[in-house]
Amino acid sequence: FPHLAMDSNTAPLLKDMLGPDGQPRVCDQVWISSLVGPDTSQELFGRLTSGYGARRQLKQNEGKIGPEFTFGITIQKLLQEPVLIIKTAWGGKSLHTDFRPPSAGPFQFSPQHLEQLRRRGVDLEVAKKEKAEAQGRYYRLMVEHVQNTLQRLDRIPDYDRQQGFELAGFVWFQGWNDMVDRNVYPNREQPGGYDAYSRLLAHLIRDVRRDLDAPEMHFVIGVMGVGGPVENYIGDQQRYRDVHDNFRRAMATPLELSEFEGNVSAVFTERYWDAELAAVDDKLNQVNRFARQLRQDNQKEPQPDALSPEELQRKVDAYRAQLLTPRDHEILIGKTNAAYHYLGSAKIMAQIGRAFAQELAPALDAAD
């Protein structure tokens, strides 16, 4: 959180995230039910605060946040109504299999994919059976969690059963596992290489509205933005430019369908990528590469000339000190994870959550 205070653009947002005691705010009018951990039956429920981000175990609260924290704070401020967030966030899942919507039909292996499996010695019949069992599982779990939560609204103090509730908005923020899957999307470097993802996402929107009996529910698509705007890619990033650009376009494509006009919108999360923090992450990667190369070269040296572990570490430390500036060390507090997890940055996640709410709230006001 302190990383937000280092930027005049996000310092005001941090004030919304903290209570009078300087600790993460606990929201009076925003509640959350979230499924966490590898066991899909583990639910966290309570007033919204920090700790509803990634958890390895149910009782292991590391204070992490995803977009849900500032989304809840912002949407409640804009609507001035009680809010319940129902969250599912299983990592490492695809839309083509794990969240595959029912109306999309069964997963079909491409000839290239089957050939690749065959070369690896995989039993194709077993692979097809396992795929059939896996497809749509997390879609069904997601829908079930929403339905189960809505049947237990009496857990929320002051909930007025006669007034009821409105299932008003849905935010979809996913994509990495589809984007990197060359077997499912073999032409991903080419324009239209992710057209199948666009079709799946359109099916998802229709099916969720149908299965949750919410035909008017507004959808916000969080378009993946790891790496920032592709026009700013430099160095090694440039080799991913076409893939990332094509996938982002595919995520936003459902907006072009007439049936989704005015009821589906998108937030391009690349706008909230922290280029400064990413540059420091690149420097850390350079340090790691230097250390690996140093160890490899050292192993080739005759034993009397080889450096001790302590000597190796001193060389790595010296290289790191030479590469990183005082400012780099200051902002490193903002990085807690890998780049493909948005650097584990509260600053990035907080801005994304706020943007989701700012995109959704006007649509809800218009509907009212």
Side-chain angles (χ1 to χ4, degrees), residues 109-262:
F109 285 92
S110 68
Q112 301 97 315
H113 196 176
L114 289 173
E115 179 58 29
Q116 194 267 347
L117 292 173
R118 189 179 293 108
R119 287 199 303 268
R120 286 168 44 198
V122 174
D123 186 316
L124 297 186
E125 293 307 313
V126 172
K128 291 177 181 179
K129 181 175 182 292
E130 290 175 347
K131 180 67 74 171
E133 293 172 350
Q135 65 184 24
R137 178 172 183 246
Y138 286 87
Y139 173 90
R140 295 188 294 273
L141 289 170
M142 175 183 68
V143 170
E144 288 170 7
H145 178 53
V146 174
Q147 293 170 334
N148 292 338
T149 303
L150 293 176
Q151 291 172 5
R152 304 173 65 196
L153 293 180
D154 289 340
R155 294 185 293 172
I156 301 175
D158 301 325
Y159 171 65
D160 186 342
R161 179 177 289 275
Q162 289 188 336
Q163 186 180 26
F165 66 89
E166 178 187 6
L167 194 56
F170 189 105
V171 177
W172 177 253
F173 188 33
Q174 176 271 350
W176 186 269
N177 277 60
D178 285 270
M179 186 182 72
V180 299
D181 198 327
R182 186 180 295 274
N183 289 319
V184 177
Y185 308 99
N187 301 314
R188 57 186 191 152
E189 291 91 351
Q190 302 171 17
Y194 289 107
D195 283 354
Y197 184 94
S198 301
R199 291 192 292 271
L200 287 169
L201 188 50
H203 280 292
L204 179 87
I205 296 169
R206 299 183 194 107
D207 288 1
V208 165
R209 287 172 169 169
R210 179 200 65 212
D211 292 341
L212 294 180
D213 194 23
E216 305 300 323
M217 182 168 59
H218 193 93
F219 260 71
V220 174
I221 301 168
V223 178
M224 197 169 60
V226 168
V230 295
E231 57 267 25
N232 297 338
Y233 280 16
I234 59 174
D236 287 345
Q237 275 188 309
Q238 294 184 21
R239 59 179 172 156
Y240 303 116
R241 184 196 300 267
D242 290 342
V243 169
H244 288 190
D245 188 45
N246 290 342
F247 188 74
R248 294 174 190 183
R249 291 175 184 274
M251 289 196 77
T253 292
L255 275 68
E256 300 172 6
L257 299 178
S258 59
E259 66 183 292
F260 296 147
E261 184 177 356

Side-chain angles (χ1 to χ4, degrees), residues 2 9 22 61 75 77 82 101 105 108 121 124 136 148 161 187 194 201 220 250 259 264 268 290 313 335-337 364:
N9 293 319
N61 184 357
I75 199 79
K77 180 190 293 186
Q108 299 291 332
L124 297 186
N148 292 338
R161 179 177 289 275
N187 301 314
Y194 289 107
L201 188 50
V220 174
E259 66 183 292
V264 176
F268 289 84
F290 174 81
Q313 188 59 51
K335 172 183 157 37
T336 67
N337 211 306
L364 302 187

Side-chain angles (χ1 to χ4, degrees), residues 9-10 12-14 16 67-79 83 85 169-171 218-222 262 264-269 271-272 347-366:
N9 293 319
T10 53
L13 180 56
L14 178 62
D16 283 342
E68 78 292 324
F69 188 40
T70 50
F71 171 84
I73 292 171
T74 307
I75 199 79
Q76 197 280 325
K77 180 190 293 186
L78 293 173
L79 298 180
V83 173
I85 298 171
F170 189 105
V171 177
H218 193 93
F219 260 71
V220 174
I221 301 168
V264 176
S265 54
V267 169
F268 289 84
T269 65
R271 298 169 184 166
Y272 310 106
K347 180 180 173 183
I348 296 175
M349 282 296 168
Q351 292 181 88
I352 290 174
R354 178 178 61 181
F356 287 161
Q358 290 172 336
E359 185 66 38
L360 180 59
L364 302 187
D365 278 339

Side-chain angles (χ1 to χ4, degrees), residues 11 17 38 202 213 293 346:
M17 297 165 63
D213 194 23
Q293 188 63 53

Side-chain angles (χ1 to χ4, degrees), residues 278-339:
V280 179
D281 187 49
D282 287 341
K283 291 182 180 180
L284 293 178
N285 290 332
Q286 290 181 49
V287 173
N288 291 334
R289 289 194 294 270
F290 174 81
R292 285 196 300 271
Q293 188 63 53
L294 193 64
R295 287 193 296 268
Q296 291 172 7
D297 293 343
N298 193 53
Q299 291 173 355
K300 299 175 184 177
E301 294 291 334
Q303 190 58 40
D305 299 326
L307 299 175
S308 68
E310 293 77 15
E311 291 171 321
L312 286 171
Q313 188 59 51
R314 281 196 292 271
K315 283 184 173 290
V316 172
D317 291 343
Y319 182 76
R320 178 187 173 107
Q322 176 186 354
L323 202 59
L324 270 66
T325 68
R327 171 65 177 176
D328 292 340
H329 286 286
E330 182 183 10
I331 67 170
L332 261 178
I333 192 173
K335 172 183 157 37
T336 67
N337 211 306

